[in-house]
Every structure is written in C-alpha cells, then in structure tokens.
Amino acid sequence: MGPVNRKTLFKDSRSDLFTYLGVILAFIVITMLKNRGALNRSQSGLLVPICCYIVMAVSLNLTVGILGDLSLGHAGFMSVGAFTGIITSMSLIDIIPSAPIRLTIAIFVGAFFASIVGFLVGIPVLRLKGDYLAIVTLAFGEILKELITCLIVGFDSKGLHIIFNVSGSKTANDLNLLEGGRVIIKGAQGATGTKTIANFTAGFILVMITLVIVLNLIRSRHGRAIMAIRDNRIAAESVGIPLTKFKMIAFVTSTALAGAAGALFGLNYSNLAAAKFDFNTSILVLVFVVLGGLGNIWGSILATVVLYILPEALRGFASYRMLIYAIVLILVMLTTNNPVLKSLFSRWSFRGNKQESEGGSNG
Amino acid sequence: MKKVFAIVLAMAMVFALSATAFADGAFKIGSSGPLTGGAAIYGNAVMNAARIAIDEVNAEGGMQFEFQAQDDEADSGDKAINAYNTLLDWGMQVMIGTVTSGSGITVSAQAAEDRMFMLTPSGSSVDMIDGKDNVFQVCFTDPNQGVGSADYMAENFAGAKVAVIYRNDDAYSQGIRDTFVKEAEAKGVEVVYEGTFTNDTATDFSVQLTDAQAAGADMLFLPIYYQPASVILSQANQMGYAPTVFGVDGMDGILTLENFDTSLAEGVMLLTPFSADADDARTQAFVAEYQNRYGEVPNQFAADGYDAVYIVKAALEAAGCTPDMSFEDICEALVAVMPTITVDGITGQGMTWAASGEVSKAPMAVVIRDGAYVTP
C-alpha cells in the first residue's frame, strides 16, 4: 500500500467532490429544463437509459480499471438484475401499488440476485488472469443470456410459477395460470407487458448511490488493497493481502451494481428480451469505460453520456448514421490518445492522473 | 483534422436544413423499422415501398403526405423508443410502424399512452394490438396464419405426419407455432416432431432435420423467415431428405435471396397475401416501379408498406381529418373509422378491420414451380 501521500489524498477527495457536485448539478439543470418543457421527447427519453449505462460503466470500471481484470460479461449481470427486477415488480403490483416503493424493492432484488450470480461466477473466474479471464467472463455472459432465454415465468394468486424450458417445447400456456394471473416472462421473447415505473429521479439516486459505494470503496483500505493487486499481484500477495477475498469484494460489488442498473433499465420498457444483453452490450459498456479512462470514475460518466447521445444526435444522417458513429468513435479514440491533448487534460484534471492511468492500462 | 470536422459539420447542416424544409398542409407520417443490422432487409423494404406510395399520393394532388423513417435496429428496448421519440419531436401525426413485432410491442404500449395512431405494416404479433385500441395491422396476426396453415393441411394433405421447426426467441414464429399445433390437434393433423432454434443458432439445422426424419415426418412446417428456411432447405437436400415444405408469409422472399439455389425451393408451399407475379394491373405497376427505383423484386413486407400508406389515406379521408389537427385528435378520429372502412390493396381485396386491430383478408396458398409462385 505504501506511504499515503497527504497531497494525493487531498487531490483524490477533491476530485471525488467534483464528481458528486457535477452529477448533482447536471441533475438540477436537467430537471429544471424538463419542468420548463425545454427538453423534447427524444431528449427526455434518453435520461433513464443514460443513468443505467452510467451505473454500468462505473461498476465495470471497478472491475476493469480498479481491480485490473478485463470482464466481457457485464451485460449478463445486468440481465439478471433486469429480469429479477421485472419479476419482483410485476408480482408485487397488487400488494404494493406505490410505484417508487416497488421500484426500490425491485432494484434491491435485482442487485441481490446479480451479486449472488456474480459470486458464483467469480469463484472459478477470478482464479484466471488476463486474456483467459476475459474469455471466460465472455462465456459466462453468454451462458446467463441463454439461461434467461429458457425461463418462462408467470404470477397468479397461488404465487410465482416458473418453468425452465430447456427443450424449447413449452410455452406460456404450460404455466397453467389461474384466472387473473399474468405471464411475466415468455421465454426467449422476454418480458412483455411490463408496467414501466422507472424515472429520471430514480436513475439519479441510483447513480449517486453507485458513486458513493464505488468511490468510498476505492478510497478505503480495501480499495488500496484492490489497487495493489492490480499494480503488482506478487508484491501484494507477499505483504499478506488475501487476493481472492479482495478480488471477490470488487467483482461482487461491481455485479451487484450492474444488477441494480439492469432492474431500472428493465422497468423502463414494457418489452425486453434477453437477447438485448448480448456481447455487444458488454462491449458497448467497455467502450464507455476505456474512453473515459481506466480507473477514472468521472471519465466513465462523461464518456457514457457522450457516447450514448451520439447515435441519437446523428439521426440526421439517416442511413449513414452507424457509419458516421463508427468514424466519430475512431476519431474520438485517436484524439483522446493524442499526447498533446493528453498533457492538456492532465493539467486540467484534479489529481495526478498520469501515474494512475498508466497503472490501469496494464490491466 | 480541421478539414474533416468542417466537412462533417457542413454535412450536418445540409441534413438539418433539408429536414426543416417541408410543405404546408401535409400530414406527417412517421415510420420506424430496422434500417441497419441483420433485419434491415425488412425495414428497408417497407420504407422503400411506403415512399413509392407516398409519391403516388402526393402526385395525385389531393391529400399530401410527408414521410420520415427512423432506424430502430429491430431492438425491443431503448432504441425502439428512441426512434419513436425522435419521430414525435419531428411532429409525426400518424405512425406507419413498426416493421418488427419486437420493437412494436414496446412502442405500441407507449403509443397507446400518448394516443398516437399506429398502423403496423408487418408487426404480426398479437401482443402488439392486445389491449390497445389505437394499433391496427396490415398483415395477418400470427394466430390466423397458424390456423390457416393447419386447416389447409387438414383439407389437402390428410394423414400427413408434420414436423415443425420454429424460432422460439421470435414472437412471430412462436405465435404461429402455438396456434398451428392447437388447430392441428383439433383437425386431426398429426405433429410428430417439434424442433426449435434461436437467432444465434440459425446457421445449422442438421440436428432438427435428422430428428424430424427419424420421427417419420413427410411434411415440414416452417413458420419462420426465409433466411433460416433457405438453410433448412439446402441442408435437407444434402441429407437426401425430401419432405413437403410448407411455409407462411415469412417464407416470401426466398426466391430473391442472394446466392440461394432456387431449385431447392421447388415445390415449397406457402400462405402469402402477396405475390409479385400476380397479374392485376396495380401489383404489376407497383412491382415495375419498385424494380425501377431499387433494382429488386419487392417482397411481402414492401407490399404491406405500400398498402399501409393507402389505408392511412383512406382512413384519414373517411374521418375527414386535416393536417392541422393534433395527433391525439387524429388518433381518436381514425380509431373510430377503422372498423368501418374497406380498402382494396395489393395484399388483399376488400380488407376490413376489427376494432381490436386485426385485419380480415383472404390468405392465398401458392406453390413454387420453376422459380415462380403458382396457385396449386
């Protein structure tokens, strides 16, 4: 862990403070604009998914940037959270009519199940290093997606009915729901007819909770131990840091937050299929993290906002939209890696970023 | 770098300007569908054909339409809603969309809340219209196709042993299969095997085909789109397995698929509302114009998109709507007249609608002989 420099400590907490203030300020400004009707439909429709993806990017940054392990299956944990969250919300709809309370419970349940799955996946996965770990997380992400594809879930007065449809021959009719029951997840077609209860305020609160958890974890003793593992595994082990324990802490925290983001995302759309959470979504979130800078939390937030809005902003290009999106992505990656711009950025940034970003890029 | 940015900015401005230049007194028709990605062939077919129909309507000089298409990438979540919201911001008054059912279920729930009138050319899932009075369909619902297929088999292929291969992550395929199996049971058609696949596993069907053959199936029912169906046909051919293949409207387009040996589709039967070889003048004019503009034979999705524009026109005329009305008012007016109008289109004569949103038109069974549809 080394001697803690007072100056860097001060710089760190100042940077954290600016991150919190930035997010709060953005929330206040956007809410004011929204209340005055200055935001159009497509802009206000982007708010909740942006919040979800910010939580995804920040939590993935914990695994990739802080722990230094490349995970390509983050969307898998998001899907666990999304579908458990949807099941919870739709099952409780008669018992708890209040949408905010139901949303809160659904997010907690989503985070809980995602963390359990994260723990189980973490046991074999975290023994691996580097490329192997990346490939195995990718495989687990795909397995999670396929498993959810097999789920058929319904709810009636007798409780929850679940069919695990491995052979593919069963349909929602096989649930034999009583009258008044509703089908929540129709196997591969995903959840249909979900009551949408997510909103921007909930998204903002979730982003703030995520920041509190992740930033406090990073600045704590545990966080320094996790970063020590990233920077030099052997040295960390030799000073008595239990590798598995700290790796697991970072990984499970990250998956729990992904589950919470998934629950919010799932409850923002009336129809959601497991195929949404494929490899592409994991890579998308990874792109947010890489562009924002590994280990750089406010960078992840900024990159997510910019890159999520970009394809929407390019709608004017019609058929060339995705082509232009790719070109802009390449240009952005090139310019942010430009040495001149980089030194400019590090002069602006609030902490000794140079040392950290170099350490992170080894992960 | 500066130059590149200058060019990009200039392009952005050109597009922005072209988007704002619009005619007065025209209805704004919006549509969303997959214009990029794996399902783009469907979205582009609908948009291309809708543009032809809109140009025809505008050329007549009466009612005027403006059209905008947005890409939803056939996504069932955020991207579908983003595309819909973009259309709303543009000022869409009537929606011809969505092209796919997955996006449609998400968007129709939102549209029902907003009171936006939706006419989907090709979103055939029942979930799209279920419980929403403002959503209508041009294509058949999935259950109707399943029932129609089973009835046709019971009538013409008594004693057939049927194997079904369907895609169970697709609301369309699953929906047809569900009602087909139910109706087959009722009509005494024996289903000896059912095999499934998903979008990710749509490249190899040897397991399903071997099982179907082992189960003694002499008829193969494929309620799927033509791309996986083409793989099934060529693999069955390689195995030397030659059952009678029966498809539904998704099979339409198999003859125009690139790099596909159309001799493999010889004898394939399908239920379809549209055949590009039909000899009525309207279909022929549409097919000629489509080929002229886009260089390919229009499929059934294109025909649905073409009809959708004329249906919207007929409904707007019947309801007496004017372009200065808000989309909510137009929606209420159209919902009221839809069950009362009758429209002749290229996908069916005398199309009528139930208040639930379902269309009523006669399906047509065709068989492929020498690379063309003929009536058996």
Side-chain angles (χ1 to χ4, degrees):
Chain A
M1 271 168 266
V4 178
N5 188 331
R6 280 201 133 212
K7 210 174 155 193
T8 50
L9 202 68
F10 175 66
K11 270 189 169 173
D12 281 347
S13 47
R14 202 171 64 164
S15 143
D16 291 358
L17 188 68
F18 275 106
T19 309
Y20 288 127
L21 286 180
V23 172
I24 294 171
L25 194 70
F27 173 71
I28 294 172
V29 170
I30 292 170
T31 312
M32 273 167 60
L33 284 175
K34 209 178 159 193
N35 291 344
R36 286 197 182 167
L39 292 186
N40 62 24
R41 278 291 295 251
S42 52
Q43 284 160 346
S44 51
L46 294 177
L47 296 175
V48 175
I50 284 179
C51 289
C52 296
Y53 280 112
I54 286 176
V55 175
M56 286 294 288
V58 170
S59 62
L60 184 64
N61 208 339
L62 186 62
T63 309
V64 180
I66 307 299
L67 178 62
D69 281 338
L70 184 58
S71 166
L72 297 179
H74 213 49
F77 303 110
M78 189 184 186
S79 70
V80 172
F83 288 100
T84 48
I86 289 171
I87 294 171
T88 310
S89 166
M90 292 301 285
S91 307
L92 296 177
I93 205 160
D94 296 325
I95 306 166
I96 307 171
S98 157
I101 298 174
R102 217 164 65 233
L103 183 64
T104 314
I105 295 173
I107 288 174
F108 272 105
V109 171
F112 175 72
F113 277 97
S115 66
I116 288 180
V117 174
F119 179 74
L120 294 176
V121 169
I123 295 170
V125 161
L126 293 178
R127 288 168 196 279
L128 301 166
K129 277 185 279 186
D131 305 344
Y132 298 99
L133 184 124
I135 292 165
V136 172
T137 48
L138 165 71
F140 269 107
E142 291 294 301
I143 291 172
L144 286 177
K145 186 186 88 186
E146 292 298 325
L147 288 179
I148 291 173
T149 300
C150 294
L151 272 183
I152 300 176
V153 181
F155 183 82
D156 63 12
S157 51
K158 273 184 172 170
L160 215 52
H161 298 244
I162 299 172
I163 299 179
F164 200 66
N165 181 23
V166 182
S167 65
S169 60
K170 295 205 170 69
T171 65
N173 296 334
D174 296 311
L175 287 168
N176 296 323
L177 292 179
L178 298 175
E179 203 167 312
R182 58 175 75 89
V183 181
I184 302 173
I185 298 179
K186 290 183 181 172
Q189 293 158 45
T192 52
T194 312
K195 290 270 173 299
T196 55
I197 51 176
N199 56 49
F200 180 47
T201 312
F204 163 73
I205 294 170
L206 188 62
V207 169
M208 287 305 284
I209 292 174
T210 305
L211 284 177
V212 170
I213 292 174
V214 172
L215 290 176
N216 277 311
L217 178 65
I218 295 173
R219 309 296 176 226
S220 70
R221 256 185 74 187
H222 285 45
R224 289 195 296 275
I226 291 166
M227 284 187 277
I229 295 171
R230 172 192 72 191
D231 292 339
N232 194 325
R233 195 184 154 96
I234 296 167
E237 208 167 10
S238 71
V239 294
I241 294 175
L243 289 188
T244 317
K245 180 184 157 192
F246 283 108
K247 278 182 138 189
M248 200 59 111
I249 289 175
F251 191 69
V252 171
T253 310
S254 162
T255 55
L257 290 172
L264 185 70
F265 190 85
L267 290 169
N268 194 38
Y269 299 103
S270 60
N271 180 30
L272 192 69
K276 171 80 195 161
F277 304 101
D278 60 355
F279 177 57
N280 288 333
T281 308
S282 296
I283 291 294
L284 185 73
V285 178
L286 190 65
V287 169
F288 297 158
V289 172
V290 172
L291 183 72
L294 293 171
N296 182 346
I297 301 299
W298 64 265
S300 292
I301 299 177
L302 208 62
T304 307
V305 173
V306 171
L307 288 188
Y308 192 78
I309 291 177
L310 190 60
E312 294 307 315
L314 292 175
R315 277 194 184 274
F317 290 100
S319 334
Y320 300 101
R321 185 167 72 107
M322 282 302 158
L323 183 73
I324 307 251
Y325 173 66
I327 293 171
V328 171
L329 203 61
I330 293 168
L331 288 180
V332 167
M333 287 287 179
L334 285 177
T335 44
T336 48
N337 270 319
N338 185 314
V340 182
L341 278 175
K342 248 190 173 173
S343 68
L344 207 68
F345 275 132
S346 64
R347 233 178 291 162
W348 286 346
S349 79
F350 309 106
R351 55 176 162 165
N353 229 343
K354 210 174 169 198
Q355 199 185 347
E356 227 184 62
S357 61
E358 274 170 15
S361 59
N362 293 333
Chain B
M1 196 64 72
K2 262 186 186 166
K3 252 187 188 166
V4 175
F5 271 118
I7 292 168
V8 170
L9 277 178
M11 280 171 76
M13 280 166 73
V14 168
F15 276 102
L17 283 176
S18 64
T20 49
F22 59 85
D24 267 338
F27 285 102
K28 291 189 167 185
I29 312 278
S31 182
S32 90
L35 307 181
T36 58
I41 188 165
Y42 310 123
N44 284 317
V46 168
M47 303 312 165
N48 289 345
R51 285 206 174 87
I52 292 179
I54 281 180
D55 289 347
E56 285 175 8
V57 170
N58 287 347
E60 280 171 22
M63 190 176 275
Q64 295 292 307
F65 286 145
E66 266 184 77
F67 185 68
Q68 187 176 105
Q70 286 294 345
D71 185 13
D72 63 18
E73 300 167 51
D75 181 272
S76 63
D78 50 345
K79 286 169 189 160
I81 291 288
N82 291 350
Y84 169 73
N85 282 339
T86 307
L87 288 168
L88 273 185
D89 289 335
W90 169 67
M92 167 172 67
Q93 289 165 301
V94 174
M95 183 165 190
I96 293 183
T98 61
V99 171
T100 55
S101 291
S103 311
I105 298 168
T106 310
V107 173
S108 63
Q110 186 65 44
E113 212 173 281
D114 297 337
R115 304 310 298 163
M116 165 67 71
F117 181 81
M118 261 177 96
L119 178 73
T120 170
S122 46
S124 52
S125 166
V126 180
D127 284 330
M128 240 183 113
I129 53 171
D130 201 19
K132 294 141 202 155
D133 64 339
N134 61 323
V135 186
F136 291 82
Q137 291 172 320
V138 179
C139 58
F140 291 114
T141 54
D142 304 334
N144 280 345
Q145 296 203 49
V147 171
S149 305
D151 289 349
Y152 190 86
M153 283 182 202
E155 218 168 279
N156 298 291
F157 298 93
K161 291 184 170 173
V162 185
V164 186
I165 299 178
Y166 67 101
R167 188 181 139 191
N168 68 340
D169 65 343
D170 183 16
Y172 164 78
S173 192
Q174 177 86 53
I176 300 175
R177 174 264 165 202
D178 289 354
T179 49
F180 173 80
V181 170
K182 212 170 169 188
E183 179 74 8
E185 202 178 351
K187 286 282 162 77
V189 177
E190 191 185 357
V191 177
V192 291
Y193 169 75
E194 283 190 68
T196 61
F197 67 99
T198 64
N199 193 29
D200 297 340
T201 57
T203 45
D204 180 40
F205 296 93
S206 44
V207 175
Q208 290 94 323
L209 286 169
T210 316
D211 288 354
Q213 194 174 23
D218 52 16
M219 184 146 211
L220 199 53
F221 181 55
L222 302 178
I224 55 179
Y225 288 128
Y226 60 86
Q227 226 133 12
S230 69
V231 180
I232 292 180
L233 287 174
S234 56
Q235 283 187 340
N237 184 49
Q238 280 162 17
M239 286 167 56
Y241 176 39
T244 309
V245 177
F246 198 97
V248 286
D249 62 358
M251 185 72 87
D252 178 45
I254 195 158
L255 293 176
T256 51
L257 187 64
E258 274 174 44
N259 301 325
F260 176 70
D261 178 6
T262 50
S263 70
L264 293 175
E266 215 40 41
V268 169
M269 304 195 70
L270 61 152
L271 281 188
T272 175
F274 172 72
S275 157
D277 300 318
D279 46 15
D280 65 290
R282 223 171 142 207
T283 305
Q284 301 232 316
F286 166 67
V287 171
E289 177 63 20
Y290 196 96
Q291 277 181 311
N292 181 26
R293 280 202 204 185
Y294 308 107
E296 56 192 28
V297 177
N299 57 15
Q300 169 235 326
F301 283 84
D304 286 334
Y306 182 84
D307 274 358
V309 173
Y310 279 101
I311 294 163
V312 165
K313 178 172 178 267
L316 286 171
E317 279 170 354
C321 293
T322 49
D324 55 354
M325 286 166 74
S326 71
F327 70 81
E328 290 98 337
D329 294 341
I330 292 180
C331 177
E332 298 314 324
L334 294 188
V335 166
V337 298
M338 276 306 278
T340 65
I341 61 171
T342 305
V343 180
D344 289 332
I346 54 176
T347 62
Q349 294 292 312
M351 287 185 273
T352 55
W353 284 266
S356 64
E358 266 181 58
V359 67
S360 154
K361 58 185 175 185
M364 175 169 65
V366 295
V367 63
I368 296 173
R369 291 245 187 282
D370 302 322
Y373 293 160
V374 292
T375 322

